[in-house]
Amino acid sequence: MITLRKEDGAADLAGISKMSVGVSWDPSAGTSGGLLGIARRKKGVDLDLVAVLMQGAEPVRFAGLDSLDPLGNGSVVHSGDEQTGAASGDDETVHVTFSSVPTPITSIIFVAAAFKKGSSFERANNVSFKIYDATGGNSQQVADIWPSLLGAENANAIARAIRAGDVWQLEVLDRKGKVKQGDMQALLRFAMG
């Protein structure tokens, strides 16, 4: 098992041919109690996991929201949009098969955001970002990132996979920020750092 920490910098992914990044959360009533609290928990909150595929310094594709297989070859695939946080395990996941990622893609940045209007991290409980080694068909967790509960940010750059020749490296970012909800350009600029 590889233990990745933010302060470790980039970890070599040699030997890891498939990786998954998942985000999970539970719905919350926020500060509302009574019937309003029950309704808010039932409705849930929509957080979104997006993988931004970079060609050098330019974002060229993304997996997430309504784009589930942006390269069309199954190398970067999003599990689909969970809109309540009520699913068991990871609510949304991006699966990457590194050997199939086309050479022009030089990095992949994984971002979780309360992207759609009306959603927020503040209305979610137990937010967790997990990174898995999915080589060989089994998923083994190699990192679990719990974002801070403080602040009003609505986006978190989780990690970045970087191509270094024939090998990929992984850097845990855990970088919080604010994006204009519903603005894809703002989300892409945030992902780029």
Side-chain angles (χ1 to χ4, degrees), residues 53-190:
L53 286 66
M54 303 289 293
Q55 185 173 351
E58 296 294 324
V60 293
R61 299 278 190 281
F62 70 90
L65 304 171
D66 62 351
S67 177
L68 302 183
D69 185 4
L71 297 172
N73 68 354
S75 62
V76 180
V77 177
H78 193 284
S79 63
D81 188 17
E82 162 58 44
Q83 297 183 3
T84 66
S88 63
D90 292 325
D91 293 289
E92 294 188 15
T93 308
V94 173
H95 306 281
V96 179
T97 304
F98 291 111
S99 62
S100 300
V101 175
T103 306
I105 302 301
T106 56
S107 64
I108 304 169
I109 305 166
F110 301 92
V111 176
F115 183 66
K116 296 178 186 89
K117 292 182 180 177
S119 60
S120 73
F121 276 102
E122 295 162 346
R123 290 186 31 215
N125 282 335
N126 308 320
V127 177
S128 180
F129 311 129
K130 294 181 177 73
I131 301 172
Y132 303 92
D133 174 355
T135 304
N138 295 328
S139 290
Q140 178 182 359
Q141 183 177 314
V142 295
D144 191 0
I145 304 157
W146 298 355
S148 173
L149 297 174
L150 299 176
E153 291 84 357
N154 65 346
N156 189 301
I158 303 164
R160 173 178 33 225
I162 307 157
R163 187 188 298 268
D166 292 337
V167 176
W168 285 82
Q169 295 181 329
L170 184 70
E171 177 183 15
V172 174
L173 302 172
D174 192 18
R175 176 175 40 89
K176 292 170 54 173
K178 189 95 172 147
V179 299
K180 181 178 178 186
Q181 289 182 317
D183 185 342
M184 193 62 190
Q185 295 292 311
L187 183 65
L188 294 172
R189 283 190 297 275
F190 170 74

Side-chain angles (χ1 to χ4, degrees), residues 8-79:
D8 289 342
D12 193 0
L13 294 176
I16 296 178
S17 61
K18 294 183 180 184
M19 182 183 85
S20 298
V21 174
V23 61
S24 63
W25 69 96
D26 296 324
S28 169
T31 58
S32 301
L35 292 176
L36 183 57
I38 292 169
R40 281 192 173 166
R41 269 192 303 277
K42 186 173 183 179
K43 180 182 177 197
V45 61
D46 186 9
L47 301 184
D48 293 295
L49 176 63
V50 178
V52 179
L53 286 66
M54 303 289 293
Q55 185 173 351
E58 296 294 324
V60 293
R61 299 278 190 281
F62 70 90
L65 304 171
D66 62 351
S67 177
L68 302 183
D69 185 4
L71 297 172
N73 68 354
S75 62
V76 180
V77 177
H78 193 284
S79 63

